[in-house]
Amino acid sequence: MSDNLLFAEEISENTPKDQLGKHKPWKVAVVDDEEQVHSVTKLVLRNFAFDGRGLELLHVYSAKEAIQLFRDQDDIAICLLDVVMETDSAGLDVVSQIRDDLHNSYTRIVLRTGQPGQAPEENVIKNYDINDYKDKTELTNLKLHTLVYSCLRAYRDIISLNQTRKGLEQVIHASNNVFHHRFTGEFSKGILLQFSSLMQFDDHAVYAVEDGFTAHSDKCGLKIIEGIGKYSHSLGEYLENILPKDILQKLKEQDTPFMSIHSDSCFLASNITDNKESQRNVLYLKKLGEPSTLQKKLLDVFSNNVLTAFQNLYLLEDIEKAQREMVYLLAEAVESRSKETGFHLQRVAELSLLLAGGLGLDKDLKLKIYRSSPLHDLGKIAISDNILNKPDKLTAEEFEIMKTHSQIGHDMILKSERELCQTGRIIALEHHERWDGTGYPNGKKGEEISIEGRIVAVADVFDALSCKRCYKDAWQLDDVFTYMKENSASQFDPQVIETLTTLEADIRKIYDQYRD
Ligand code: C2E
Ligand code: SIN
Ligand code: SIN
Ligand code: SIN
Ligand code: FE
Ligand code: FE
């Protein structure tokens, strides 16, 4: 059996004649050194059909040829096998090869011999894994038909069971692979890719996995999130402009959480959460052939599974989005008190993201830093107006009070287990630590300071210098870069400053874009 997923060919016994050509014939190997046996077998089995499929006789004349035939082809249903050929037991060697060396336990093997005394029936059946044993003279027209029928029926059922088992294993495997993805975009691609491995068929593709998409509802309707093949350029398009009317109608009428459509041209699965149209996800694949009942069931199980997970990811993204909005609202409320309006928070976030990227941090950490950097000065909420907005230099005493904003910001979000808050409180605590250990609040040094803290420290000072504060004027960007470089390895992590230097062009773009 090949490693590809094979599904059962569940073709009913009364498949219309005109579809016969569509299905492969059953392969029957005739292994015999007497030409006459071949011609008689051919004659007797002409016009034979089972399950709407005819026979393909494969004629070989020795054990050696037979072994080669079974090496080359793993989908032979029956082997009608002569015992005495090159040697007295050549046929029995073929049985050992098929079963033990090729590990083929599917082919139905029937021994045929002209010399019944040569290989005692009982002994052979016991010692060799064969399915039947016939005297050549027994194989009259009717008996051979009956034998081939029963062998094919057994072969079909064995293959079918095996394919069902493999199909279910594949569904579980595919689902697990898909669940690894965290973001809906990647997840959609994962679904479509897994479908392609799920749909590797024996001889013909039932679904065109090269054409398909996933869709998610927004205010205006169902929109394509990810597409492959023909739909790879359809991202953002609405399904009402793409799908045929009858399918759209069925989608409208959906009254169960999960629905699948196996139409002539496609497979479509749709799930709705809480009967809310705004929470619908769709999976679509173009169809080529006619799937079996088993294939349909497996597709339903798989798509129901992944669409539910898909929905959960959307809900999580909603939560994360709400959280990001909260972070900004909170940070902006603080910022507005100190009259440092404008784009300070956005620029610090963009700078931090650039630096994190330039330092090669992984995507997850980059995003966390980007999203939680606005929390760095949260603690300033506790600093009184007369200090916070003092137009002059702070006294030493006032500066001591000002310095408490790091610890206060950290403590304010200490209790939150949200990821953004966990990163946010580290940044709040450490954004005024210095590489040489002379910063505050804890005088941490070098890599004792988290990479998040070291990055935001650079971004925060860079932006504080480049724009106007109540106590200072804006600096020219050239002067800011000079200051940053001069304080590399004393105030700042030298690696972060090196990265800042290489990113000068991108940084200037940020300052063009977010001008106060
Ligand atoms: P901030 O305004 O957000 O400034 C953040 C950091 O940028 C400062 O941290 C400092 O490292 C750097 N920075 C800002 N302006 C200058 C500058 O003119 N020269 C230099 N060399 N560095 C500058 P730092 O010093 O720990 O201050 C923390 C916060 O304390 C500041 O946040 C600001 O809110 C306040 N602050 C600091 N100095 C003064 C001041 O003289 N007057 C007033 N009213 N507030 C001050
Ligand atoms: C499985 O084998 O079922 C899961 C393995 C994977 O998700 O990669
Ligand atoms: C959450 O805990 O709700 C999500 C955490 C996050 O990624 O922000
Ligand atoms: C924390 O409280 O989340 C840890 C802050 C630190 O890095 O010290
Ligand atoms: Fe600060
Ligand atoms: Fe700041």
Side-chain angles (χ1 to χ4, degrees), residues 373 375-380 405-407 424-434 440-441 449 452-458 460-461 491-492:
S373 66
L375 295 171
H376 70 274
D377 272 342
L378 191 63
K380 281 187 182 171
H405 81 278
S406 298
Q407 189 70 49
R425 70 169 174 256
I426 292 171
I427 288 172
L429 187 68
E430 296 183 342
H431 75 286
H432 289 294
E433 296 288 4
R434 292 170 53 116
Y440 61 88
I449 311 159
E452 298 94 309
R454 282 177 272 148
I455 286 172
V456 177
V458 168
D460 182 40
V461 173
Q491 187 170 0
F492 307 114

PDB file of all heavy atoms in Angstrom, residues 373 375-380 405-407 424-434 440-441 449 452-458 460-461 491-492:
ATOM      1  N   SER A 373       4.561  48.616  24.744  1.00  0.00           N
ATOM      2  CA  SER A 373       5.444  49.764  25.005  1.00  0.00           C
ATOM      3  C   SER A 373       4.677  51.020  25.456  1.00  0.00           C
ATOM      4  O   SER A 373       5.211  51.789  26.251  1.00  0.00           O
ATOM      5  CB  SER A 373       6.311  50.068  23.773  1.00  0.00           C
ATOM      6  OG  SER A 373       5.496  50.508  22.713  1.00  0.00           O
ATOM      7  N   LEU A 375       2.731  51.367  27.632  1.00  0.00           N
ATOM      8  CA  LEU A 375       2.523  51.358  29.080  1.00  0.00           C
ATOM      9  C   LEU A 375       3.737  51.867  29.860  1.00  0.00           C
ATOM     10  O   LEU A 375       3.687  51.948  31.091  1.00  0.00           O
ATOM     11  CB  LEU A 375       2.185  49.928  29.552  1.00  0.00           C
ATOM     12  CG  LEU A 375       0.857  49.358  29.035  1.00  0.00           C
ATOM     13  CD1 LEU A 375       0.748  47.885  29.393  1.00  0.00           C
ATOM     14  CD2 LEU A 375      -0.319  50.129  29.603  1.00  0.00           C
ATOM     15  N   HIS A 376       4.808  52.251  29.156  1.00  0.00           N
ATOM     16  CA  HIS A 376       6.060  52.507  29.897  1.00  0.00           C
ATOM     17  C   HIS A 376       5.936  53.617  30.938  1.00  0.00           C
ATOM     18  O   HIS A 376       6.510  53.527  32.011  1.00  0.00           O
ATOM     19  CB  HIS A 376       7.243  52.767  28.941  1.00  0.00           C
ATOM     20  CG  HIS A 376       7.180  54.066  28.186  1.00  0.00           C
ATOM     21  ND1 HIS A 376       6.506  54.189  26.995  1.00  0.00           N
ATOM     22  CD2 HIS A 376       7.697  55.293  28.451  1.00  0.00           C
ATOM     23  CE1 HIS A 376       6.616  55.440  26.559  1.00  0.00           C
ATOM     24  NE2 HIS A 376       7.334  56.136  27.430  1.00  0.00           N
ATOM     25  N   ASP A 377       5.170  54.667  30.655  1.00  0.00           N
ATOM     26  CA  ASP A 377       5.063  55.777  31.601  1.00  0.00           C
ATOM     27  C   ASP A 377       3.742  55.797  32.358  1.00  0.00           C
ATOM     28  O   ASP A 377       3.321  56.837  32.872  1.00  0.00           O
ATOM     29  CB  ASP A 377       5.239  57.121  30.865  1.00  0.00           C
ATOM     30  CG  ASP A 377       6.701  57.525  30.794  1.00  0.00           C
ATOM     31  OD1 ASP A 377       7.515  56.979  31.581  1.00  0.00           O
ATOM     32  OD2 ASP A 377       7.029  58.384  29.951  1.00  0.00           O
ATOM     33  N   LEU A 378       3.091  54.621  32.414  1.00  0.00           N
ATOM     34  CA  LEU A 378       1.803  54.545  33.092  1.00  0.00           C
ATOM     35  C   LEU A 378       1.864  55.142  34.505  1.00  0.00           C
ATOM     36  O   LEU A 378       0.931  55.812  34.959  1.00  0.00           O
ATOM     37  CB  LEU A 378       1.374  53.072  33.169  1.00  0.00           C
ATOM     38  CG  LEU A 378      -0.042  52.775  33.599  1.00  0.00           C
ATOM     39  CD1 LEU A 378      -1.038  53.350  32.602  1.00  0.00           C
ATOM     40  CD2 LEU A 378      -0.255  51.271  33.739  1.00  0.00           C
ATOM     41  N   GLY A 379       2.969  54.929  35.183  1.00  0.00           N
ATOM     42  CA  GLY A 379       3.118  55.392  36.571  1.00  0.00           C
ATOM     43  C   GLY A 379       3.090  56.896  36.738  1.00  0.00           C
ATOM     44  O   GLY A 379       2.913  57.394  37.858  1.00  0.00           O
ATOM     45  N   LYS A 380       3.244  57.624  35.631  1.00  0.00           N
ATOM     46  CA  LYS A 380       3.198  59.087  35.741  1.00  0.00           C
ATOM     47  C   LYS A 380       1.816  59.577  36.176  1.00  0.00           C
ATOM     48  O   LYS A 380       1.649  60.740  36.546  1.00  0.00           O
ATOM     49  CB  LYS A 380       3.589  59.736  34.410  1.00  0.00           C
ATOM     50  CG  LYS A 380       5.100  59.771  34.163  1.00  0.00           C
ATOM     51  CD  LYS A 380       5.422  60.577  32.910  1.00  0.00           C
ATOM     52  CE  LYS A 380       6.918  60.587  32.617  1.00  0.00           C
ATOM     53  NZ  LYS A 380       7.212  61.176  31.304  1.00  0.00           N
ATOM     54  N   HIS A 405       7.862  56.828  39.164  1.00  0.00           N
ATOM     55  CA  HIS A 405       6.867  56.413  38.159  1.00  0.00           C
ATOM     56  C   HIS A 405       7.150  55.025  37.586  1.00  0.00           C
ATOM     57  O   HIS A 405       6.239  54.327  37.158  1.00  0.00           O
ATOM     58  CB  HIS A 405       6.702  57.466  37.047  1.00  0.00           C
ATOM     59  CG  HIS A 405       7.758  57.425  35.978  1.00  0.00           C
ATOM     60  ND1 HIS A 405       8.987  58.017  36.108  1.00  0.00           N
ATOM     61  CD2 HIS A 405       7.751  56.866  34.729  1.00  0.00           C
ATOM     62  CE1 HIS A 405       9.698  57.833  35.005  1.00  0.00           C
ATOM     63  NE2 HIS A 405       8.967  57.129  34.141  1.00  0.00           N
ATOM     64  N   SER A 406       8.418  54.611  37.609  1.00  0.00           N
ATOM     65  CA  SER A 406       8.746  53.279  37.064  1.00  0.00           C
ATOM     66  C   SER A 406       8.110  52.177  37.905  1.00  0.00           C
ATOM     67  O   SER A 406       7.417  51.294  37.387  1.00  0.00           O
ATOM     68  CB  SER A 406      10.266  53.073  37.051  1.00  0.00           C
ATOM     69  OG  SER A 406      10.883  54.014  36.218  1.00  0.00           O
ATOM     70  N   GLN A 407       8.394  52.243  39.234  1.00  0.00           N
ATOM     71  CA  GLN A 407       7.864  51.217  40.122  1.00  0.00           C
ATOM     72  C   GLN A 407       6.340  51.288  40.190  1.00  0.00           C
ATOM     73  O   GLN A 407       5.663  50.249  40.170  1.00  0.00           O
ATOM     74  CB  GLN A 407       8.456  51.397  41.532  1.00  0.00           C
ATOM     75  CG  GLN A 407       8.137  50.263  42.486  1.00  0.00           C
ATOM     76  CD  GLN A 407       8.870  48.974  42.106  1.00  0.00           C
ATOM     77  OE1 GLN A 407      10.078  48.992  41.880  1.00  0.00           O
ATOM     78  NE2 GLN A 407       8.132  47.871  42.006  1.00  0.00           N
ATOM     79  N   GLY A 424       4.244  44.649  29.618  1.00  0.00           N
ATOM     80  CA  GLY A 424       4.102  46.057  29.945  1.00  0.00           C
ATOM     81  C   GLY A 424       4.712  46.413  31.284  1.00  0.00           C
ATOM     82  O   GLY A 424       5.347  47.451  31.438  1.00  0.00           O
ATOM     83  N   ARG A 425       4.548  45.544  32.269  1.00  0.00           N
ATOM     84  CA  ARG A 425       5.074  45.931  33.581  1.00  0.00           C
ATOM     85  C   ARG A 425       6.594  45.810  33.643  1.00  0.00           C
ATOM     86  O   ARG A 425       7.245  46.571  34.360  1.00  0.00           O
ATOM     87  CB  ARG A 425       4.389  45.159  34.704  1.00  0.00           C
ATOM     88  CG  ARG A 425       4.695  43.706  34.805  1.00  0.00           C
ATOM     89  CD  ARG A 425       4.157  43.174  36.138  1.00  0.00           C
ATOM     90  NE  ARG A 425       4.309  41.748  36.183  1.00  0.00           N
ATOM     91  CZ  ARG A 425       3.293  40.891  36.008  1.00  0.00           C
ATOM     92  NH1 ARG A 425       2.084  41.327  35.796  1.00  0.00           N
ATOM     93  NH2 ARG A 425       3.513  39.598  36.050  1.00  0.00           N
ATOM     94  N   ILE A 426       7.160  44.907  32.887  1.00  0.00           N
ATOM     95  CA  ILE A 426       8.629  44.834  32.816  1.00  0.00           C
ATOM     96  C   ILE A 426       9.165  46.108  32.168  1.00  0.00           C
ATOM     97  O   ILE A 426      10.135  46.709  32.623  1.00  0.00           O
ATOM     98  CB  ILE A 426       9.056  43.589  32.008  1.00  0.00           C
ATOM     99  CG1 ILE A 426       8.699  42.324  32.794  1.00  0.00           C
ATOM    100  CG2 ILE A 426      10.551  43.631  31.721  1.00  0.00           C
ATOM    101  CD1 ILE A 426       8.872  41.048  32.000  1.00  0.00           C
ATOM    102  N   ILE A 427       8.480  46.543  31.114  1.00  0.00           N
ATOM    103  CA  ILE A 427       8.906  47.752  30.411  1.00  0.00           C
ATOM    104  C   ILE A 427       8.754  48.976  31.319  1.00  0.00           C
ATOM    105  O   ILE A 427       9.647  49.824  31.389  1.00  0.00           O
ATOM    106  CB  ILE A 427       8.104  47.905  29.095  1.00  0.00           C
ATOM    107  CG1 ILE A 427       8.590  46.851  28.094  1.00  0.00           C
ATOM    108  CG2 ILE A 427       8.254  49.305  28.521  1.00  0.00           C
ATOM    109  CD1 ILE A 427       7.761  46.775  26.831  1.00  0.00           C
ATOM    110  N   ALA A 428       7.620  49.048  32.041  1.00  0.00           N
ATOM    111  CA  ALA A 428       7.410  50.177  32.955  1.00  0.00           C
ATOM    112  C   ALA A 428       8.530  50.218  34.001  1.00  0.00           C
ATOM    113  O   ALA A 428       9.102  51.261  34.289  1.00  0.00           O
ATOM    114  CB  ALA A 428       6.046  50.052  33.629  1.00  0.00           C
ATOM    115  N   LEU A 429       8.858  49.048  34.515  1.00  0.00           N
ATOM    116  CA  LEU A 429       9.843  48.981  35.586  1.00  0.00           C
ATOM    117  C   LEU A 429      11.255  49.323  35.104  1.00  0.00           C
ATOM    118  O   LEU A 429      12.018  49.974  35.814  1.00  0.00           O
ATOM    119  CB  LEU A 429       9.849  47.568  36.182  1.00  0.00           C
ATOM    120  CG  LEU A 429      10.702  47.355  37.442  1.00  0.00           C
ATOM    121  CD1 LEU A 429      10.091  48.113  38.610  1.00  0.00           C
ATOM    122  CD2 LEU A 429      10.819  45.871  37.780  1.00  0.00           C
ATOM    123  N   GLU A 430      11.585  48.902  33.910  1.00  0.00           N
ATOM    124  CA  GLU A 430      12.994  48.939  33.492  1.00  0.00           C
ATOM    125  C   GLU A 430      13.355  49.999  32.462  1.00  0.00           C
ATOM    126  O   GLU A 430      14.509  50.085  32.063  1.00  0.00           O
ATOM    127  CB  GLU A 430      13.388  47.559  32.937  1.00  0.00           C
ATOM    128  CG  GLU A 430      13.324  46.454  33.978  1.00  0.00           C
ATOM    129  CD  GLU A 430      13.778  45.105  33.436  1.00  0.00           C
ATOM    130  OE1 GLU A 430      13.821  44.939  32.200  1.00  0.00           O
ATOM    131  OE2 GLU A 430      14.086  44.221  34.256  1.00  0.00           O
ATOM    132  N   HIS A 431      12.413  50.828  32.032  1.00  0.00           N
ATOM    133  CA  HIS A 431      12.744  51.695  30.901  1.00  0.00           C
ATOM    134  C   HIS A 431      13.679  52.840  31.274  1.00  0.00           C
ATOM    135  O   HIS A 431      14.173  53.540  30.394  1.00  0.00           O
ATOM    136  CB  HIS A 431      11.476  52.194  30.186  1.00  0.00           C
ATOM    137  CG  HIS A 431      10.709  53.262  30.911  1.00  0.00           C
ATOM    138  ND1 HIS A 431       9.939  53.008  32.010  1.00  0.00           N
ATOM    139  CD2 HIS A 431      10.596  54.594  30.691  1.00  0.00           C
ATOM    140  CE1 HIS A 431       9.374  54.123  32.436  1.00  0.00           C
ATOM    141  NE2 HIS A 431       9.767  55.113  31.644  1.00  0.00           N
ATOM    142  N   HIS A 432      13.956  53.037  32.589  1.00  0.00           N
ATOM    143  CA  HIS A 432      14.958  54.037  32.970  1.00  0.00           C
ATOM    144  C   HIS A 432      16.200  53.411  33.592  1.00  0.00           C
ATOM    145  O   HIS A 432      17.037  54.105  34.168  1.00  0.00           O
ATOM    146  CB  HIS A 432      14.356  55.086  33.921  1.00  0.00           C
ATOM    147  CG  HIS A 432      13.390  55.998  33.246  1.00  0.00           C
ATOM    148  ND1 HIS A 432      13.779  56.898  32.267  1.00  0.00           N
ATOM    149  CD2 HIS A 432      12.040  56.138  33.380  1.00  0.00           C
ATOM    150  CE1 HIS A 432      12.698  57.555  31.830  1.00  0.00           C
ATOM    151  NE2 HIS A 432      11.633  57.115  32.494  1.00  0.00           N
ATOM    152  N   GLU A 433      16.310  52.079  33.474  1.00  0.00           N
ATOM    153  CA  GLU A 433      17.567  51.455  33.882  1.00  0.00           C
ATOM    154  C   GLU A 433      18.614  51.797  32.825  1.00  0.00           C
ATOM    155  O   GLU A 433      18.277  52.069  31.667  1.00  0.00           O
ATOM    156  CB  GLU A 433      17.401  49.923  33.985  1.00  0.00           C
ATOM    157  CG  GLU A 433      16.422  49.458  35.061  1.00  0.00           C
ATOM    158  CD  GLU A 433      16.945  49.633  36.495  1.00  0.00           C
ATOM    159  OE1 GLU A 433      18.052  50.200  36.676  1.00  0.00           O
ATOM    160  OE2 GLU A 433      16.230  49.227  37.432  1.00  0.00           O
ATOM    161  N   ARG A 434      19.889  51.840  33.241  1.00  0.00           N
ATOM    162  CA  ARG A 434      20.967  52.150  32.291  1.00  0.00           C
ATOM    163  C   ARG A 434      21.923  50.974  32.176  1.00  0.00           C
ATOM    164  O   ARG A 434      22.135  50.230  33.120  1.00  0.00           O
ATOM    165  CB  ARG A 434      21.715  53.406  32.754  1.00  0.00           C
ATOM    166  CG  ARG A 434      20.897  54.690  32.687  1.00  0.00           C
ATOM    167  CD  ARG A 434      21.636  55.824  33.391  1.00  0.00           C
ATOM    168  NE  ARG A 434      23.009  55.981  32.895  1.00  0.00           N
ATOM    169  CZ  ARG A 434      23.460  57.071  32.268  1.00  0.00           C
ATOM    170  NH1 ARG A 434      22.653  58.093  32.062  1.00  0.00           N
ATOM    171  NH2 ARG A 434      24.717  57.119  31.863  1.00  0.00           N
ATOM    172  N   TYR A 440      17.580  53.852  37.253  1.00  0.00           N
ATOM    173  CA  TYR A 440      16.631  53.581  38.341  1.00  0.00           C
ATOM    174  C   TYR A 440      15.479  52.725  37.829  1.00  0.00           C
ATOM    175  O   TYR A 440      15.279  52.646  36.624  1.00  0.00           O
ATOM    176  CB  TYR A 440      16.125  54.906  38.939  1.00  0.00           C
ATOM    177  CG  TYR A 440      15.385  55.824  37.971  1.00  0.00           C
ATOM    178  CD1 TYR A 440      14.001  55.700  37.774  1.00  0.00           C
ATOM    179  CD2 TYR A 440      16.047  56.832  37.264  1.00  0.00           C
ATOM    180  CE1 TYR A 440      13.331  56.538  36.910  1.00  0.00           C
ATOM    181  CE2 TYR A 440      15.361  57.677  36.391  1.00  0.00           C
ATOM    182  CZ  TYR A 440      14.015  57.514  36.215  1.00  0.00           C
ATOM    183  OH  TYR A 440      13.352  58.351  35.359  1.00  0.00           O
ATOM    184  N   PRO A 441      14.699  52.080  38.703  1.00  0.00           N
ATOM    185  CA  PRO A 441      14.727  52.167  40.178  1.00  0.00           C
ATOM    186  C   PRO A 441      15.722  51.188  40.826  1.00  0.00           C
ATOM    187  O   PRO A 441      16.053  51.370  41.994  1.00  0.00           O
ATOM    188  CB  PRO A 441      13.291  51.780  40.562  1.00  0.00           C
ATOM    189  CG  PRO A 441      12.855  50.858  39.475  1.00  0.00           C
ATOM    190  CD  PRO A 441      13.543  51.313  38.220  1.00  0.00           C
ATOM    191  N   ILE A 449      19.053  43.731  32.716  1.00  0.00           N
ATOM    192  CA  ILE A 449      17.867  44.445  32.226  1.00  0.00           C
ATOM    193  C   ILE A 449      17.300  43.639  31.058  1.00  0.00           C
ATOM    194  O   ILE A 449      18.051  43.197  30.191  1.00  0.00           O
ATOM    195  CB  ILE A 449      18.246  45.858  31.731  1.00  0.00           C
ATOM    196  CG1 ILE A 449      19.104  46.592  32.779  1.00  0.00           C
ATOM    197  CG2 ILE A 449      17.001  46.666  31.377  1.00  0.00           C
ATOM    198  CD1 ILE A 449      19.917  47.744  32.190  1.00  0.00           C
ATOM    199  N   GLU A 452      13.375  43.762  26.486  1.00  0.00           N
ATOM    200  CA  GLU A 452      12.241  44.670  26.307  1.00  0.00           C
ATOM    201  C   GLU A 452      12.566  46.038  26.908  1.00  0.00           C
ATOM    202  O   GLU A 452      12.338  47.076  26.301  1.00  0.00           O
ATOM    203  CB  GLU A 452      10.982  44.124  27.008  1.00  0.00           C
ATOM    204  CG  GLU A 452      10.450  42.799  26.500  1.00  0.00           C
ATOM    205  CD  GLU A 452      10.981  41.614  27.282  1.00  0.00           C
ATOM    206  OE1 GLU A 452      12.228  41.527  27.451  1.00  0.00           O
ATOM    207  OE2 GLU A 452      10.167  40.777  27.726  1.00  0.00           O
ATOM    208  N   GLY A 453      13.118  46.021  28.150  1.00  0.00           N
ATOM    209  CA  GLY A 453      13.474  47.254  28.848  1.00  0.00           C
ATOM    210  C   GLY A 453      14.563  48.025  28.104  1.00  0.00           C
ATOM    211  O   GLY A 453      14.485  49.252  27.950  1.00  0.00           O
ATOM    212  N   ARG A 454      15.577  47.309  27.603  1.00  0.00           N
ATOM    213  CA  ARG A 454      16.686  47.963  26.910  1.00  0.00           C
ATOM    214  C   ARG A 454      16.230  48.615  25.603  1.00  0.00           C
ATOM    215  O   ARG A 454      16.726  49.675  25.222  1.00  0.00           O
ATOM    216  CB  ARG A 454      17.798  46.944  26.638  1.00  0.00           C
ATOM    217  CG  ARG A 454      18.652  46.647  27.868  1.00  0.00           C
ATOM    218  CD  ARG A 454      19.680  45.580  27.569  1.00  0.00           C
ATOM    219  NE  ARG A 454      19.166  44.235  27.790  1.00  0.00           N
ATOM    220  CZ  ARG A 454      19.544  43.161  27.093  1.00  0.00           C
ATOM    221  NH1 ARG A 454      20.421  43.276  26.113  1.00  0.00           N
ATOM    222  NH2 ARG A 454      19.028  41.986  27.362  1.00  0.00           N
ATOM    223  N   ILE A 455      15.300  47.947  24.933  1.00  0.00           N
ATOM    224  CA  ILE A 455      14.803  48.492  23.659  1.00  0.00           C
ATOM    225  C   ILE A 455      13.963  49.746  23.905  1.00  0.00           C
ATOM    226  O   ILE A 455      14.163  50.788  23.275  1.00  0.00           O
ATOM    227  CB  ILE A 455      13.976  47.422  22.904  1.00  0.00           C
ATOM    228  CG1 ILE A 455      14.910  46.374  22.312  1.00  0.00           C
ATOM    229  CG2 ILE A 455      13.121  48.068  21.809  1.00  0.00           C
ATOM    230  CD1 ILE A 455      14.197  45.184  21.707  1.00  0.00           C
ATOM    231  N   VAL A 456      13.019  49.658  24.851  1.00  0.00           N
ATOM    232  CA  VAL A 456      12.127  50.798  25.079  1.00  0.00           C
ATOM    233  C   VAL A 456      12.906  51.972  25.681  1.00  0.00           C
ATOM    234  O   VAL A 456      12.587  53.131  25.407  1.00  0.00           O
ATOM    235  CB  VAL A 456      10.902  50.395  25.929  1.00  0.00           C
ATOM    236  CG1 VAL A 456      10.020  51.604  26.231  1.00  0.00           C
ATOM    237  CG2 VAL A 456      10.079  49.334  25.196  1.00  0.00           C
ATOM    238  N   ALA A 457      13.948  51.695  26.447  1.00  0.00           N
ATOM    239  CA  ALA A 457      14.787  52.777  26.985  1.00  0.00           C
ATOM    240  C   ALA A 457      15.340  53.622  25.842  1.00  0.00           C
ATOM    241  O   ALA A 457      15.306  54.858  25.887  1.00  0.00           O
ATOM    242  CB  ALA A 457      15.919  52.189  27.823  1.00  0.00           C
ATOM    243  N   VAL A 458      15.831  52.962  24.808  1.00  0.00           N
ATOM    244  CA  VAL A 458      16.377  53.679  23.656  1.00  0.00           C
ATOM    245  C   VAL A 458      15.269  54.427  22.913  1.00  0.00           C
ATOM    246  O   VAL A 458      15.394  55.622  22.603  1.00  0.00           O
ATOM    247  CB  VAL A 458      17.109  52.695  22.704  1.00  0.00           C
ATOM    248  CG1 VAL A 458      17.430  53.362  21.379  1.00  0.00           C
ATOM    249  CG2 VAL A 458      18.372  52.171  23.371  1.00  0.00           C
ATOM    250  N   ASP A 460      12.373  55.450  23.982  1.00  0.00           N
ATOM    251  CA  ASP A 460      11.759  56.511  24.800  1.00  0.00           C
ATOM    252  C   ASP A 460      12.635  57.761  24.818  1.00  0.00           C
ATOM    253  O   ASP A 460      12.154  58.878  24.587  1.00  0.00           O
ATOM    254  CB  ASP A 460      11.550  55.986  26.225  1.00  0.00           C
ATOM    255  CG  ASP A 460      10.866  57.014  27.128  1.00  0.00           C
ATOM    256  OD1 ASP A 460       9.938  57.707  26.637  1.00  0.00           O
ATOM    257  OD2 ASP A 460      11.256  57.115  28.304  1.00  0.00           O
ATOM    258  N   VAL A 461      13.921  57.597  25.056  1.00  0.00           N
ATOM    259  CA  VAL A 461      14.808  58.762  25.108  1.00  0.00           C
ATOM    260  C   VAL A 461      14.927  59.376  23.713  1.00  0.00           C
ATOM    261  O   VAL A 461      14.877  60.604  23.568  1.00  0.00           O
ATOM    262  CB  VAL A 461      16.197  58.381  25.674  1.00  0.00           C
ATOM    263  CG1 VAL A 461      17.156  59.559  25.551  1.00  0.00           C
ATOM    264  CG2 VAL A 461      16.067  57.947  27.122  1.00  0.00           C
ATOM    265  N   GLN A 491      24.750  54.737  28.887  1.00  0.00           N
ATOM    266  CA  GLN A 491      23.308  54.731  29.158  1.00  0.00           C
ATOM    267  C   GLN A 491      22.605  53.558  28.445  1.00  0.00           C
ATOM    268  O   GLN A 491      21.714  52.935  29.013  1.00  0.00           O
ATOM    269  CB  GLN A 491      22.715  56.072  28.702  1.00  0.00           C
ATOM    270  CG  GLN A 491      21.261  56.264  29.085  1.00  0.00           C
ATOM    271  CD  GLN A 491      20.776  57.690  28.824  1.00  0.00           C
ATOM    272  OE1 GLN A 491      21.540  58.548  28.341  1.00  0.00           O
ATOM    273  NE2 GLN A 491      19.535  57.960  29.142  1.00  0.00           N
ATOM    274  N   PHE A 492      23.020  53.271  27.219  1.00  0.00           N
ATOM    275  CA  PHE A 492      22.257  52.324  26.394  1.00  0.00           C
ATOM    276  C   PHE A 492      23.034  51.060  26.042  1.00  0.00           C
ATOM    277  O   PHE A 492      24.261  51.076  25.947  1.00  0.00           O
ATOM    278  CB  PHE A 492      21.839  53.008  25.088  1.00  0.00           C
ATOM    279  CG  PHE A 492      21.129  54.315  25.281  1.00  0.00           C
ATOM    280  CD1 PHE A 492      21.702  55.515  24.864  1.00  0.00           C
ATOM    281  CD2 PHE A 492      19.876  54.366  25.883  1.00  0.00           C
ATOM    282  CE1 PHE A 492      21.056  56.725  25.037  1.00  0.00           C
ATOM    283  CE2 PHE A 492      19.215  55.575  26.066  1.00  0.00           C
ATOM    284  CZ  PHE A 492      19.804  56.759  25.652  1.00  0.00           C
TER     285      PHE A 492
END
